[in-house]
Amino acid sequence: MEHINDKKNFLNLSTAKDANQKAKNDEVKVSKMSVLSISSIPLVMTLGNSMLIPVLPSIEKKLTISSFQVSMIITVYSIVAILLIPVAGYLSDHIGRKKVIIPSLIIAAVGGGISGIAAWMLDNSYWVILIGRALQGVGAAGAFPIVLPLVGDMFKKEEEVSSTLGVIETANTFGKVLSPIIGAILAGFIWFIPFMSIPVFCLLSILLILAFVKVPANQKKPLPFKEFISHTKEVINKDKKWLYAIFFIGAIIMFILFAEMFYLSDILEKKYHIKNIKKGFFLAIPLGLLCLTSFITGRKIKQDQNLMRWITIIGIIAIIVGTIALNFTENIWFIVACLTISGIGIGASLPPLDALITEGIEKEERGTITSLYSSMRFIGVAAGPPCMALLLKHADQIQFYLLSGITMLSVLVAFFRLKLPPSSKA
């Protein structure tokens, strides 16, 4: 929340109490609106990407392209974001979080508009759609990744940071719950309307941020680029044992999530011929439990780093159980049940990772380090759909064993490496 400066010189005790009470009340009111406004950023960014997942088979048919090509509509967005997130984090540390977030949301809106207009107006629109999606990726790089350090800046207590990061991660996952339903409803009218809706969502988020979010004015001049690189290396080397673990686990979790959602979307349409709103509700079942778990976890972890570590480990084990079980049958309800178990594991794992990396890094370095973490998550998002498309084509009998094996590595990493030293507090 915005930090309210204490006024130390009062005429009398009664005035002091009144002033303190007023400040407290103002802070609570502003804080709620600030959290709501900040939460709109991951919600909008998730809608702008995950909303397309249930529409991918329709896009594939409309544009007469392959499954791999259509998966690139998700992947190109993430690849561009991966490359630019560290730059956005660097800028946000020095020129201000809002000065990066607002232009980024505008760029994301423009990218969505380009993709939508191309799909509407052009006969061979695939490559122009990819250009629009790449612009969206530019916007995404400076939006959601900056939320993590922004929350760390605005709160004084680590317990408040953890709780609010849980809300932020819940907004992110809630976006994933809404995405298939909204995407399916919009595409039910015209297949390219989901692209056109992105500028509208971005505009709403921009208005909320401008109206309600204020950040502490403690920004510094940017370091020269060489010094920035050198300083970042020093920070990472100092805490590399647990930082690399969080980077790796975050990437794997998002890889599994987007791979499995791509699989569910594909099998619903191609095997069971379930489309549009009905398909959206099927996709929303595991994502809804993911969202609920994320919210509960964010409220419970507080600032207990050991609890964060064990919740992460247990969550990843749940992902493995749900993923391995997908090998047994292609019954649609069994698949949804397995993905729900996996989703619960993902929802439990993400808030502790967010809290560990935000609370374990000094405020001056949060933007840069958390942006690197976001880049790793985007690598998972980028790799998930195309890898699943290739596995379904070339390794249809063993794809879930492969995914489970990869996830097992993250359990080992979490168990042996996910330990913050007692001094690692912001």
Side-chain angles (χ1 to χ4, degrees):
M1 291 326 124
E2 297 87 89
H3 295 150
I4 307 298
N5 292 328
D6 295 330
K7 296 181 179 180
K8 300 183 182 300
N9 297 319
F10 298 106
L11 293 177
N12 55 58
L13 184 59
S14 176
T15 305
K17 288 181 178 179
D18 292 343
N20 283 334
Q21 186 63 42
K22 184 179 185 300
K24 185 177 180 181
N25 292 339
D26 289 344
E27 183 179 3
V28 171
K29 183 179 179 181
V30 174
S31 296
K32 289 179 179 178
M33 289 309 302
S34 295
V35 172
L36 174 65
S37 302
I38 295 169
S39 298
S40 73
I41 299 171
L43 179 63
V44 166
M45 290 296 100
T46 301
L47 284 171
N49 199 30
S50 301
M51 185 169 54
L52 299 177
I53 289 179
V55 189
L56 292 179
S58 298
I59 296 175
E60 183 181 336
K61 291 178 184 176
K62 293 289 183 180
L63 301 181
T64 60
I65 55 178
S66 68
S67 294
F68 181 80
Q69 284 178 304
V70 78
S71 73
M72 292 304 294
I73 290 176
I74 300 294
T75 298
V76 71
Y77 168 97
S78 303
I79 289 174
V80 174
I82 289 163
L83 297 175
L84 294 179
I85 283 172
V87 178
Y90 163 69
L91 291 174
S92 79
D93 275 340
H94 300 291
I95 68 173
R97 313 298 187 200
K98 285 175 68 174
K99 290 179 181 178
V100 173
I101 289 173
I102 299 298
S104 297
L105 288 170
I106 293 171
I107 293 170
V110 171
I114 288 173
S115 294
I117 292 170
W120 176 28
M121 304 289 290
L122 302 178
D123 292 331
N124 299 310
S125 59
Y126 176 68
W127 291 105
V128 182
I129 289 173
L130 286 187
I131 291 171
R133 290 288 293 163
L135 269 178
Q136 262 190 271
V138 174
F144 177 49
I146 309 304
V147 170
L148 301 183
L150 177 59
V151 170
D153 291 347
M154 296 174 70
F155 285 93
K156 291 178 178 179
K157 297 179 181 178
E158 290 181 2
E159 184 176 333
E160 292 176 331
V161 173
S162 299
S163 178
T164 304
L165 286 173
V167 174
I168 298 301
E169 198 62 69
T170 300
N172 186 23
T173 53
F174 185 58
K176 291 180 175 64
V177 176
L178 291 179
S179 293
I181 299 172
I182 294 176
I185 291 173
L186 294 177
F189 294 101
I190 305 175
W191 67 274
F192 55 78
I193 289 184
F195 291 117
M196 300 290 239
S197 68
I198 291 166
V200 177
F201 293 135
C202 288
L203 177 60
L204 292 174
S205 184
I206 289 169
L207 294 175
L208 286 171
I209 298 300
L210 288 173
F212 298 110
V213 176
K214 298 176 183 178
V215 295
N218 59 346
Q219 308 298 342
K220 300 178 180 179
K221 285 186 176 182
L223 292 170
F225 189 71
K226 287 185 179 180
E227 289 185 33
F228 160 68
I229 296 295
S230 176
H231 179 67
T232 301
K233 287 180 180 178
E234 288 178 11
V235 173
I236 291 175
N237 286 332
K238 181 179 68 174
D239 295 313
K240 62 183 178 182
K241 180 178 178 180
W242 62 270
L243 273 180
Y244 288 160
I246 292 177
F247 289 169
F248 179 77
I249 296 166
I252 293 299
I253 288 175
M254 298 309 293
F255 171 78
I256 296 297
L257 173 61
F258 275 78
E260 291 183 346
M261 287 301 103
F262 182 87
Y263 165 73
L264 181 56
S265 176
D266 189 75
I267 199 170
L268 282 171
E269 187 144 337
K270 293 181 179 178
K271 183 177 177 65
Y272 291 97
H273 309 291
I274 296 173
K275 302 178 181 180
N276 301 327
I277 298 176
K278 188 177 180 181
K279 178 182 180 181
F281 278 106
F282 269 99
L283 288 166
I285 293 171
L287 292 172
L289 270 295
L290 189 160
C291 178
L292 179 62
T293 307
S294 181
F295 177 75
I296 294 171
T297 304
R299 298 292 295 271
K300 295 295 183 183
I301 56 177
K302 300 187 184 298
Q303 59 192 77
D304 187 338
Q305 293 179 352
N306 189 53
L307 179 62
M308 294 177 194
R309 174 172 172 263
W310 280 108
I311 288 178
T312 301
I313 292 170
I314 293 168
I316 299 171
I317 292 172
I319 298 171
I320 294 170
V321 170
T323 302
I324 287 179
L326 288 168
N327 289 284
F328 299 149
T329 178
E330 287 191 348
N331 175 276
I332 187 59
W333 288 110
F334 185 82
I335 291 173
V336 171
C338 292
L339 292 180
T340 298
I341 294 171
S342 183
I344 290 171
I346 293 170
S349 301
L350 290 176
L353 293 175
D354 292 348
L356 283 170
I357 200 165
T358 304
E359 296 172 18
I361 297 296
E362 297 294 334
K363 286 190 176 183
E364 294 78 10
E365 300 150 355
R366 277 179 180 157
T368 301
I369 301 302
T370 57
S371 69
L372 292 174
Y373 167 59
S374 295
S375 288
M376 295 305 298
R377 285 178 53 154
F378 268 95
I379 288 173
V381 173
C387 284
M388 180 54 75
L390 292 174
L391 288 172
L392 288 173
K393 186 175 182 180
H394 300 293
D396 192 32
Q397 301 301 313
I398 63 170
Q399 72 268 30
F400 297 114
Y401 290 114
L402 293 174
L403 294 180
S404 300
I406 294 170
T407 312
M408 181 63 73
L409 290 176
S410 65
V411 171
L412 298 175
V413 170
F415 186 80
F416 290 107
R417 307 282 288 186
L418 201 59
K419 298 177 182 179
L420 275 68
S423 60
S424 291
K425 291 179 183 292

